[in-house]
Amino acid sequence: MAELQDGLHTPPEAGELGDLPLDGPFPPDGYAPGDGDGPDAAPLDHARALLAAHPVADGYSGLPWALRHLPWYDLESGESAVDTDVPRLRQGQVGALFCSLHLPEGLAADRAVAATLEQLDLVRTVIAGHPESLRLARTAGQVIDARNCGRAAVILGPATAAALDDSLGLLRVLHALGLRVLTLAGTSWASKAGLTRFGDEVVREMNRLGVLADLSGASEATIRRILAASRAPALATRSAARALRPHPANLPDELLAELGAAKGLCMVPLTAEQTGPSVRDVADHLDHVRALAGPESVGLSGTYDAGCAHPQELGDASCYPHLIAELLRRGWTEPDLALLTWGNVQRVLRAADFTARAAQERRTASAAKIAELDG
């Protein structure tokens, strides 16, 4: 599988995203304005036109673990056993997909590293098997390149922190294999009490490598410490508003405000358990998060193929136009919707890339200075 090299194209600023061409299979084959019927046709047509310029960057897909349990699958033609395949990505106008490497609860701790590597290998194999539709992306620039080539960019992560086995070396290995997001929860160094000194070291190394910190499922103490310690923006890959639905993975209002102040990103999941049983409930959470964190700190997380029930009208990866149509009816502006679907994820990825380059340059300069003094 040929991967694009960093820097092939300079990532655009947020205001330039609408000018980029979108060739190939995204938007969906055969789409033309006016395809809708009934009273919702106008907002649905508007939603599809907007997504053609600003496709969805989906913050969480459970597809890797779901595929492990299938003896055979065909994602190119369509696969009824899962919620995500190439035709539905096209129909939903998904331009980027974060593929979760999370592990099921109850998996033995000594299997965490091997199971994460197996899932990572599976994702890379799936991408290699669908070169006309999918492309692995490590940087913001590569996400843009994939989109311009008519492919959906696949970003590896989030992975569970247990996959590190308390080793910074393993973090570097996983990053070398493509990992971009790590969930900082469920370990002795990222617990209810917050981050330990080793946890702080993990965050610093993630900044140096360009691996984003995922806050979903982390304790409030851990979240606050990450927001204070990380030089790169953090994101919550599947968190909604706890004030509207008291799910433990949802964030309270004060943390939503702090996440926005830190230029982080809250990606609202499309799950009945966390956001409610209807598309209107999901829109309520998006309204709430936008009001508290700001329009530059809210995103979308399909959470498809993660074993969750989904709201009505949002049953699989093809359904994003229905959500955008609901937001248009509520008065969301096109600039805010462009940030929600695409621009905010690009901003966070660009910031992580910049932070990593700056940290690496500082380390190189320090090493050169030491060598000069020694000489």
Side-chain angles (χ1 to χ4, degrees):
M1 178 183 63
E3 297 174 13
L4 295 177
Q5 298 298 315
D6 294 354
L8 182 60
H9 292 292
T10 301
E13 298 301 323
E16 298 173 332
L17 293 176
D19 298 330
L20 289 168
L22 186 61
D23 301 325
F26 300 93
D29 295 336
Y31 163 69
D35 284 348
D37 294 313
D40 289 336
L44 196 56
D45 283 345
H46 191 177
R48 287 170 175 154
L50 188 144
L51 288 173
H54 309 282
V56 172
D58 185 333
Y60 192 98
S61 170
L63 187 62
W65 193 263
L67 292 179
R68 285 176 63 123
H69 298 86
L70 298 181
W72 183 88
Y73 52 84
D74 181 0
L75 297 182
E76 190 67 44
S77 299
E79 180 53 64
S80 61
V82 293
D83 299 327
T84 307
D85 54 30
V86 170
R88 280 178 281 190
L89 288 174
R90 291 172 179 167
Q91 188 175 353
Q93 292 169 274
V94 177
L97 190 69
F98 287 74
C99 271
S100 166
L101 306 177
H102 279 167
L103 307 174
E105 293 183 9
L107 188 74
D110 60 357
R111 278 281 299 150
V113 176
T116 300
L117 289 171
E118 288 165 1
Q119 288 201 89
L120 192 151
D121 177 69
L122 173 62
V123 177
R124 294 176 67 105
T125 300
V126 169
I127 295 170
H130 301 80
E132 299 302 316
S133 302
L134 305 174
R135 180 168 290 178
L136 180 66
R138 298 170 181 262
T139 67
Q142 289 180 1
V143 171
I144 293 291
D145 287 332
R147 178 195 171 190
N148 288 346
C149 294
R151 275 67 167 174
V154 178
I155 301 158
L156 295 179
T160 179
L164 301 190
D165 197 23
D166 299 346
S167 168
L168 293 179
L170 272 175
L171 173 61
R172 289 187 283 270
V173 168
L174 289 169
H175 171 260
L177 294 173
L179 180 69
R180 282 305 311 264
V181 188
L182 184 72
T183 302
L184 297 183
T187 69
S188 60
W189 47 268
S191 64
K192 290 183 178 180
L195 290 180
T196 65
R197 293 182 68 178
F198 177 73
D200 285 339
E201 286 292 327
V202 171
V203 172
R204 281 192 287 271
E205 188 67 5
M206 289 170 66
N207 286 173
R208 189 187 71 80
L209 295 170
V211 177
L212 290 160
D214 175 23
L215 309 177
S216 291
S219 68
E220 292 189 19
T222 296
I223 291 173
R224 287 194 165 93
R225 180 57 189 160
I226 293 169
L227 294 179
S230 179
R231 292 177 178 267
L235 52 79
T237 59
R238 45 177 181 166
S239 292
R242 192 175 296 176
L244 301 186
R245 203 163 185 91
H247 188 280
N250 290 346
L251 298 179
D253 286 355
E254 58 270 23
L255 280 183
L256 287 173
E258 291 176 29
L259 183 64
K263 303 300 182 184
L265 180 57
C266 179
M267 309 186 83
V268 174
L270 312 187
T271 68
E273 184 179 7
Q274 285 186 250
T275 52
S278 75
V279 65
R280 292 179 295 278
D281 294 318
V282 177
D284 288 342
H285 282 268
L286 291 168
D287 284 339
H288 192 88
V289 174
R290 182 179 65 156
L292 288 169
E296 294 185 348
S297 293
V298 58
L300 297 174
S301 178
T303 325
Y304 293 116
D305 296 302
C308 306
H310 297 282
Q312 295 175 1
E313 298 186 71
L314 299 175
D316 60 44
S318 70
C319 298
Y320 282 105
H322 296 284
L323 176 58
I324 301 307
E326 173 64 23
L327 297 176
L328 285 167
R329 285 189 286 267
R330 292 178 179 226
W332 279 56
T333 65
E334 289 197 14
D336 280 1
L337 287 168
L339 290 174
L340 171 75
T341 59
W342 184 258
N344 289 336
V345 167
Q346 272 292 300
R347 174 185 62 81
V348 168
L349 288 172
R350 284 198 306 269
D353 294 342
F354 176 83
T355 301
R357 285 195 299 269
Q360 291 160 14
E361 288 169 3
R362 285 195 299 271
R363 178 171 292 191
T364 300
S366 297
K369 185 66 175 179
I370 292 171
E372 180 183 343
L373 292 173
D374 289 344

